[in-house]
Amino acid sequence: MSKGVLYVVATPIGNIEDISQRALETLKQVDFIAAEDTRHTRPLLKHYGINTPLRAFHQYNEHAKLEMMLQILDAGQSIALVSDAGTPLISDPGFPLVRELIQRGGRVVPVPGASALICALSASGLPTDRFMFLGFPPRQTGQRLAWLQTFADEVSTLVFYESSHRVADSVAAMCEVFGSGREGVIARELTKLHETILRGSLESLSERLRQDRDQQKGEFVILIRGATGDAGERIEVDIEQMLITLMAELPLKQAVSLASRVSGIKKNILYKQALKISGG
Ligand code: SAM
C-alpha cells in the first residue's frame, strides 16, 4: 500500500455485495477512511469486518477538513475517500480535495465500482455511445424549466439524478420542455429490493408517477433520449415558434408572409398553421 495516497473508493448504491475485492482491501489497509457520513459507512465496514479508523468528511465541513487531510497526506499517511453510496465526487463531496491534491503534486488513485448513473444507463435501452450527465435539476420550478430548456436540442442521452420529493415534478417539467413523445426511462431503487425500471414516452412516465405514488418512493435516475435531429420535426417546431413570435407583433397576413420568406415554406401552408395557432 503506497503511503500519502488518496484512494477514491466506490461503495455500493444499494446491494451491499456490489463492492470490489480491491475496494475492500484498500479500505482495510489505508490509515483512515474519510467518509461523507460515518453513520452510512459504518454498517458497510462492519459487514466486511473492517476496523480502519473512520473520520467524517461531510459536505458542510469539506473545506474546513481539506487542509487537515492534505497535511495528513503530506505526512505520508494514506486515506480512502468514500461517499454514502456509489462513486465519490459524482454529485458527492470530494472535488476540492482531489483538485488541490493534484495541484500540489499528490497522488490520487481511483478504486472503481458502482455509480447510479452508469448502472441506470447500462440497463436503460437508450443510446450509450454519447451521454450527458447533468446531476440534480434545480429545485425551483421556473429555474428548472429554464435550465432544462438549454438541453432541449442536445443529441446525447441525458442523465439526471432526482429525489423522491421532486421526481414527479421534474418528469412533468421534462415532458413540457422536451415534448410528451420523447422517450425516457425512470430507474428507481437500483440494486435494491424495489428496483423498478420504467420505460416509455415522457407523457406516459409522468402519468404513471402521478397515478402510482409508490413509484415516487426511493432514489431515482431519470434518462432521456437525446434530440433525434429529425428534420421534419425540427422545422415544424421552429416554424411554429417563429409564427407565434411574429403573430404577437404583426397582423396575421404579414406574419405569414414574413415567415414564408424566411423559411421558404409556401404561404398557404403557413396560413393554415397560423389559423390553428390563433384558434381559427
Ligand atoms: N455518488 C453517487 C453515484 O455515484 O451514483 C450519487 C450520489 S447522489 C448524492 C445520490 C443520488 O444518486 C440519488 O438522489 C439518486 O438520484 C441517485 N442514486 C443513488 N443510488 C441510487 C439507486 N440505488 N437507484 C437509483 N438512483 C440512485
Side-chain angles (χ1 to χ4, degrees):
M1 175 75 36
S2 321
K3 287 286 178 186
V5 172
L6 178 71
Y7 294 89
V8 182
V9 181
T11 57
I13 57 167
N15 189 319
I16 201 157
E17 301 199 343
D18 289 336
I19 185 159
S20 74
Q21 199 57 45
R22 182 168 164 242
L24 294 174
E25 280 308 312
T26 305
L27 293 175
K28 269 184 202 155
Q29 290 183 24
V30 288
D31 291 301
F32 76 86
I33 299 169
E36 182 184 6
D37 185 341
T38 54
R39 288 166 305 178
H40 268 267
T41 304
R42 205 162 270 125
L44 177 77
L45 299 184
K46 190 160 178 253
H47 181 86
Y48 286 105
I50 296 169
N51 300 311
T52 309
L54 190 58
R55 294 193 192 174
F57 183 63
H58 192 267
Q59 194 177 356
Y60 302 107
N61 68 15
E62 190 172 12
H63 289 275
K65 289 268 170 100
L66 192 139
E67 203 47 49
M68 188 196 82
M69 307 252 292
L70 289 167
Q71 279 172 16
I72 290 168
L73 291 162
D74 275 351
Q77 290 201 301
S78 58
I79 301 175
L81 176 69
V82 298
S83 60
D84 289 353
T87 303
L89 280 83
I90 306 300
S91 293
D92 266 342
F95 174 67
L97 175 63
V98 167
R99 178 105 189 136
E100 187 61 31
L101 186 60
I102 291 167
Q103 273 170 0
R104 292 186 186 194
R107 193 160 160 231
V108 180
V109 174
V111 183
S115 189
L117 80 103
I118 297 296
C119 180
L121 198 58
S122 69
S124 67
L126 295 177
T128 54
D129 54 337
R130 254 191 303 186
F131 64 88
M132 190 185 261
F133 173 60
L134 295 163
F136 290 91
R139 296 174 177 203
Q140 201 264 331
T141 311
Q143 277 176 16
R144 181 166 50 211
L145 284 172
W147 181 78
L148 287 173
Q149 191 63 53
T150 61
F151 307 109
D153 292 331
E154 176 55 52
V155 294
S156 312
T157 296
L158 303 175
V159 187
F160 305 88
Y161 281 166
E162 194 47 287
S163 76
S164 54
H165 310 293
R166 282 175 288 277
V167 66
D169 286 348
S170 272
V171 174
M174 289 166 187
C175 187
E176 193 177 327
V177 171
F178 301 126
S180 54
R182 183 86 78 96
E183 197 182 343
V185 174
I186 300 177
R188 180 173 83 95
E189 293 287 88
L190 291 165
T191 76
K192 301 187 208 175
L193 184 64
H194 296 291
E195 176 178 281
T196 319
I197 303 180
L198 302 176
R199 301 178 179 86
S201 68
L202 286 177
E203 188 172 33
S204 70
L205 293 173
S206 183
E207 191 60 22
R208 178 79 195 269
L209 287 186
R210 274 202 301 128
Q211 281 179 0
D212 183 355
R213 292 192 78 82
D214 281 348
Q215 291 301 329
Q216 297 183 31
K217 291 179 187 157
E219 297 192 281
F220 298 85
V221 182
I222 305 170
L223 306 100
I224 296 182
R225 191 176 183 126
T228 55
D230 177 307
E233 185 186 324
R234 216 174 248 192
I235 284 172
E236 202 180 303
V237 172
D238 290 346
I239 291 298
E240 183 159 358
Q241 201 47 55
M242 189 200 301
L243 272 175
I244 292 169
T245 309
L246 291 172
M247 284 161 65
E249 305 290 332
L250 300 167
L252 192 136
K253 264 182 93 172
Q254 214 177 331
V256 167
S257 172
L258 260 181
S260 171
R261 270 167 52 200
V262 173
S263 66
I265 296 173
K266 283 185 180 157
K267 272 190 201 163
N268 60 342
I269 296 173
L270 291 177
Y271 195 70
K272 275 187 204 153
Q273 188 67 16
L275 285 179
K276 251 196 238 165
I277 293 167
S278 62

